[in-house]
């Protein structure tokens, strides 16, 4: 998993300004296990930096996506963000929208087999499993 200093150094070395607001956005993404929307990130960062705009949040997220420092996941038409950029599975609840990360060693094997079979040069993969989280499952399937 990436560290705050590593991401800040990457951005600084590529010539981008490192503002307290940008640092707060990255820090929040690294510390949360949720996959927050830009609006949620805005609400959290605004508590510490009341003048931060939603536009700043979006611009920072776009920069982080462009530099492959965060991943974007779409759930019910809403963009959600994840600083866990290593290969992993996203479990997405189709009821409440909760997203959980699962590290799985077999993903590299699947990726290698797909590349060999298709003759693709695979640069990045995204793997999502849709279903019901434990909370929604117990509510939905109770009798």
């Amino acid at each position: 998993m990436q560290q705050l200093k590593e991401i800040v150094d990457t951005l600084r070395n590529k010539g981008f300004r490192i503002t307290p607001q940008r640092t707060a956005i990255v820090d929040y993404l690294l510390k949360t296990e949720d996959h927050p929307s830009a609006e949620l990130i805005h609400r959290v960062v605004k508590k510490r930096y009341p003048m931060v705009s939603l536009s700043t949040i979006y611009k920072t997220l776009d920069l982080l996506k462009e530099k492959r420092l965060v991943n974007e996941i779409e759930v019910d038409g809403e963009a959600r963000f994840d600083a866990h950029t290593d290969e992993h599975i996203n479990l997405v609840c189709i009821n409440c929208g909760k997203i959980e990360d699962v590290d799985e060693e077999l993903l590299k094997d699947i990726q290698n087999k797909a590349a060999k079979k298709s003759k693709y040069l695979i640069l990045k993969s995204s793997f999502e499993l849709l279903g019901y989280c434990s909370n929604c499952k117990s509510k939905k399937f109770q009798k």
Side-chain angles (χ1 to χ4, degrees), residues 52-66:
V52 70
S53 69
L54 186 55
S55 175
T56 297
I57 303 295
Y58 277 112
K59 287 176 185 173
T60 300
L61 291 170
D62 284 344
L63 171 64
L64 294 171
K65 283 188 316 186
E66 178 187 320

Side-chain angles (χ1 to χ4, degrees), residues 33 35 73 82 84 86-92 99-108 126-129:
E33 290 188 19
H35 296 70
I73 304 152
D82 185 7
H84 185 176
D86 297 337
E87 301 292 330
H88 67 281
I89 298 170
N90 288 305
L91 298 172
V92 181
I99 304 171
E100 293 182 56
D101 292 336
V102 176
D103 291 318
E104 179 52 60
E105 291 297 320
L106 292 176
L107 277 180
K108 207 44 132 174
S126 172
F127 197 82
E128 294 176 11
L129 297 174

Side-chain angles (χ1 to χ4, degrees), residues 7 18 25-26 29 84 87 103 108 112 119-120 125:
I7 293 175
I18 305 303
I25 293 165
V26 172
L29 283 167
H84 185 176
E87 301 292 330
D103 291 318
K108 207 44 132 174
N112 289 336
K119 296 186 171 85
Y120 268 60
S125 66

Side-chain angles (χ1 to χ4, degrees), residues 45-142:
V45 172
K46 194 172 175 109
K47 289 177 185 174
R48 188 162 177 203
Y49 298 98
M51 299 303 288
V52 70
S53 69
L54 186 55
S55 175
T56 297
I57 303 295
Y58 277 112
K59 287 176 185 173
T60 300
L61 291 170
D62 284 344
L63 171 64
L64 294 171
K65 283 188 316 186
E66 178 187 320
K67 300 303 174 195
R68 296 184 179 177
L69 299 170
V70 299
N71 290 328
E72 181 178 357
I73 304 152
E74 188 176 320
V75 178
D76 289 332
E78 179 182 53
R80 309 268 290 277
F81 299 92
D82 185 7
H84 185 176
T85 57
D86 297 337
E87 301 292 330
H88 67 281
I89 298 170
N90 288 305
L91 298 172
V92 181
C93 180
I94 59 176
N95 187 56
C96 70
K98 177 180 180 178
I99 304 171
E100 293 182 56
D101 292 336
V102 176
D103 291 318
E104 179 52 60
E105 291 297 320
L106 292 176
L107 277 180
K108 207 44 132 174
D109 292 338
I110 293 168
Q111 192 176 46
N112 289 336
K113 286 179 184 178
K116 186 175 180 179
K117 189 173 184 176
S118 67
K119 296 186 171 85
Y120 268 60
L121 170 61
I122 297 173
L123 302 176
K124 184 176 185 226
S125 66
S126 172
F127 197 82
E128 294 176 11
L129 297 174
L130 307 177
Y132 294 99
C133 68
S134 58
N135 189 37
C136 291
K137 180 180 71 173
S138 65
K139 290 177 185 174
K140 184 152 184 82
F141 297 105
Q142 279 181 343

Side-chain angles (χ1 to χ4, degrees), residues 3-13 18 23 26:
Q3 300 297 319
L4 181 61
K5 182 182 179 338
E6 187 181 329
I7 293 175
V8 166
D9 287 347
T10 298
L11 292 173
R12 185 175 285 123
N13 291 338
I18 305 303
T23 302
V26 172

